[in-house]
Amino acid sequence: AHFQETKVIFTYQGNVCESNVFNDYSPDYYLKKPFLHSETIKIIDNIETKKNEDEVIVKNQYSFVDEHGIIYLKFGKGFLLIDPLEVVYIRSAKRGCELTKRNGENQFLKYKISFLENIFKDFNFFRITKSVIINLEYLFMISRKSKRCFLKNCDNEYIFQLTSRNVMAINKLPFIKVG
């Protein structure tokens, strides 16, 4: 990933100097004269917060989530960008997992399902079996009688078998009622 250096630029009151500085450097933070001590402290706190966030990203070099909710997964020499809203479900596959997108495309990832579960859990995903994680946004129906859950998007419907334990676990979610 590419991380920009944080820049603090003290500018003059006029706009002559600002326009060139902003066009040339695109600073993350700046102070315009005259400025208050509290403004300086606020910028230093923001820089410190950004530094700490960058350190967390660097420590976990396999994945991170940006401020727009896009997931970055290490993929070859770069990163694969994944919009969680586009993912219908994730299924274990030989030597990794297969991610199924809303448009029906499948993406193979060389990650264990437990690793992906930790990343996607904050995006309304739920692990229904040892080998399947579903996006609850696409959950259409759960049948207690047949112990199946149905996912649906515009073009496709997916059916997964559940255990009694998983039916009860899903039913405990605050926004789902099992029929």
Side-chain angles (χ1 to χ4, degrees):
H2 174 71
F3 303 103
Q4 289 184 335
E5 278 188 41
T6 303
K7 302 171 188 86
V8 179
I9 297 177
F10 298 89
T11 64
Y12 293 99
Q13 280 182 309
N15 291 330
V16 177
C17 195
E18 284 180 332
S19 63
N20 290 336
V21 169
F22 284 100
N23 289 336
D24 294 343
Y25 298 103
S26 301
D28 292 329
Y29 306 100
Y30 65 94
L31 292 169
K32 184 175 177 181
K33 291 181 181 178
F35 55 87
L36 302 173
H37 178 71
S38 60
E39 293 172 312
T40 308
I41 298 299
K42 184 178 177 184
I43 288 203
I44 291 170
D45 287 343
N46 287 340
I47 291 169
E48 199 58 38
T49 300
K50 182 173 174 34
K51 179 182 168 229
N52 291 339
E53 288 171 358
D54 288 349
E55 285 174 2
V56 169
I57 289 170
V58 171
K59 283 180 188 171
N60 183 355
Q61 56 188 274
Y62 294 105
S63 70
F64 65 93
V65 178
D66 73 9
E67 67 274 6
H68 304 291
I70 301 299
I71 297 170
Y72 288 67
L73 285 176
K74 185 80 169 151
F75 195 76
K77 293 183 179 184
F79 286 90
L80 175 67
L81 280 62
I82 300 171
D83 181 352
L85 298 174
E86 294 292 318
V87 178
V88 179
Y89 69 91
I90 302 166
R91 181 192 299 259
S92 288
K94 192 174 185 177
R95 297 185 181 172
C97 287
E98 193 171 72
L99 185 138
T100 299
K101 298 179 184 176
R102 179 169 46 184
N103 63 7
E105 288 180 15
N106 293 323
Q107 175 76 50
F108 180 78
L109 303 170
K110 288 187 176 186
Y111 289 102
K112 291 182 178 183
I113 197 161
S114 56
F115 177 82
L116 294 175
E117 179 183 22
N118 282 332
I119 293 169
F120 282 87
K121 69 182 177 190
D122 295 330
F123 295 96
N124 210 21
F125 281 72
F126 187 79
R127 190 166 180 174
I128 59 168
T129 66
K130 283 173 55 175
S131 61
V132 176
I133 302 169
I134 64 169
N135 184 340
L136 294 172
E137 297 293 325
Y138 294 100
L139 184 62
F140 174 67
M141 182 175 71
I142 299 172
S143 171
R144 182 177 299 188
K145 186 176 179 180
S146 66
K147 295 180 184 160
R148 290 193 277 173
C149 91
F150 300 83
L151 303 180
K152 189 173 187 178
N153 68 7
C154 298
D155 301 324
N156 301 307
E157 188 173 298
Y158 308 95
I159 303 169
F160 297 101
Q161 196 66 42
L162 299 170
T163 63
S164 297
R165 184 174 154 190
N166 288 335
V167 171
M168 291 186 327
I170 291 173
N171 196 36
K172 288 180 182 177
L173 295 173
F175 48 86
I176 295 180
K177 283 294 166 207
V178 176

